[in-house]
């Protein structure tokens, strides 16, 4: 008998943001597959085998999960946040499409999670209250000129923007360029938010403007949200401000 694969999102960090169905899947798994620091977030229990892998081997990890399910295992593949957002779900389907034909019969399910973008937006108020887009700033899987084009077009379209993977040690200059493009295309006084490690003990939120933003305000645990010309900041005494983008667009 074959087993199953559930591709599960663990949310942005805190236990309260893991869905009950993700918890149920983790409790039913014989095998848990994922990037080391995500698997480490899963509570230990006997009878489950953990398969920890390094970053950037998503396809291999997906193939392991699918072939274990063929052998009768009940496999949970974990991602942080939501598994469909720049994470393991697409990698599993890439492996499935190009793998052995019999994999297509497997019972495969994606269980959604709270993605970092929504967790960060909720901390601030409602910066994504009007139309927005989400962009992965990593150029591992796409050329940098495509990223630049999308930034300019998103700015022209008037979208608020949420950026994943804004900055790595390997390519700090990319994010600096992105900030320059945004400052010119969106406007220097538009709010930008750096939300670091949302819903963990290391959480830190910085609200500033594109003119004042510096590339070193972001690292790989930061979600960056850029508002629009309509985004508002409600200052409060002795409490952090609320940031929101009104529902209605006034041209
Ligand atoms: N599948 C994940 C995203 C994976 S890409 C999700 O849906 O959230 C990894 C990027 O997500 C990081 O570089 C960072 O930009 C963002 N991220 C993940 N967890 C975060 C958190 N707790 N706080 C802020 N950003 C986070």
């Amino acid at each position: 008998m074959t087993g199953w694969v559930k591709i599960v999102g663990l949310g942005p960090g805190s236990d309260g943001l893991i869905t009950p169905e993700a918890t149920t899947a983790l409790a039913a798994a014989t095998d848990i597959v994922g990037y080391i620091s995500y698997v480490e977030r899963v509570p230990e229990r006997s009878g489950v085998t953990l398969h920890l892998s390094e970053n950037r081997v998503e396809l291999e990890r997906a193939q392991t999960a699918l072939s274990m399910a063929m052998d009768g295992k009940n496999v949970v593949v974990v991602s942080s946040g939501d598994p469909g957002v720049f994470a393991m779900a697409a990698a599993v389907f890439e492996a499935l499409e190009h793998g052995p034909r019999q994999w297509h019969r497997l019972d495969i399910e994606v269980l959604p999670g709270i993605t970092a973008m929504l967790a960060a937006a909720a901390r601030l108020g409602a910066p994504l209250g009007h139309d927005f887009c989400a962009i992965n700033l990593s150029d591992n899987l796409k050329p940098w000129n495509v990223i630049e084009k999308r930034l300019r077009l998103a700015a022209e379209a008037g979208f608020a923007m949420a950026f994943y993977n804004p900055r790595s040690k390997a390519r700090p200059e990319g994010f600096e360029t992105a900030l320059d493009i945004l400052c010119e295309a969106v406007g220097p006084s538009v709010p930008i938010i750096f939300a670091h490690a949302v819903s963990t003990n290391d959480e830190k939120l910085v609200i500033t403007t594109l003119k004042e933003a510096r590339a070193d305000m972001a690292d790989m645990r930061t979600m960056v949200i850029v508002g629009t010309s309509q985004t508002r900041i409600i200052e409060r005494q002795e409490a952090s401000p609320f940031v929101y983008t009104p529902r209605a667009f006034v041209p």
Side-chain angles (χ1 to χ4, degrees), residues 151-152 173-187 210-211 213 215:
L151 292 176
R152 289 185 207 284
E173 67 291 344
F175 185 54
E176 233 169 283
T177 311
L179 286 178
D180 289 344
I181 291 171
L182 291 167
C183 192
E184 187 201 311
V186 182
L210 279 167
K211 183 176 62 215

Side-chain angles (χ1 to χ4, degrees), residues 15-16 19 23 32 41 54 81 83 85 109 120 125 129 133 141 144 153 165 172 211 219 224-225 242 247:
D15 289 347
T19 67
T23 304
I32 297 176
R41 281 178 49 195
E54 293 298 326
V85 179
E109 205 184 348
C133 65
L141 298 170
W144 179 258
L153 291 175
N165 294 311
K211 183 176 62 215
D219 61 17
V224 179
I225 296 181
F242 288 124
R247 292 162 302 149

Side-chain angles (χ1 to χ4, degrees), residues 73-144:
K73 307 285 193 191
N74 294 334
V75 187
V76 166
V77 178
V78 289
S79 282
S80 77
D82 179 272
V85 179
F86 313 129
M88 282 306 295
V92 170
F93 293 114
E94 288 166 30
L96 182 74
E97 186 177 3
H98 301 292
R101 197 72 201 162
Q102 65 266 31
W103 283 3
H104 290 207
R105 293 202 310 270
L106 278 171
D107 172 7
I108 302 172
E109 205 184 348
V110 181
L111 306 185
I114 295 178
T115 188
M117 168 182 77
L118 298 182
R123 277 284 189 272
L124 294 153
L128 306 177
H130 187 70
D131 296 350
F132 64 90
C133 65
I135 299 178
N136 185 348
L137 286 185
S138 166
D139 60 355
N140 284 341
L141 298 170
K142 63 187 173 222
W144 179 258

Side-chain angles (χ1 to χ4, degrees), residues 168-218:
S168 70
K169 283 202 185 89
R171 41 167 189 85
E173 67 291 344
F175 185 54
E176 233 169 283
T177 311
L179 286 178
D180 289 344
I181 291 171
L182 291 167
C183 192
E184 187 201 311
V186 182
S189 59
V190 165
I192 178 170
I193 295 121
F194 295 88
H196 174 81
V198 174
S199 93
T200 75
N201 291 335
D202 304 328
E203 178 174 300
K204 194 176 151 226
L205 304 175
V206 173
I207 302 169
T208 183
T209 57
L210 279 167
K211 183 176 62 215
E212 305 291 336
R214 289 190 328 270
D216 65 4
M217 291 174 171

Side-chain angles (χ1 to χ4, degrees), residues 147-165:
I147 298 176
E148 285 197 9
K149 181 175 175 188
R150 289 180 185 170
L151 292 176
R152 289 185 207 284
L153 291 175
E156 189 185 329
F159 289 129
M161 298 175 219
F163 298 120
Y164 289 79
N165 294 311

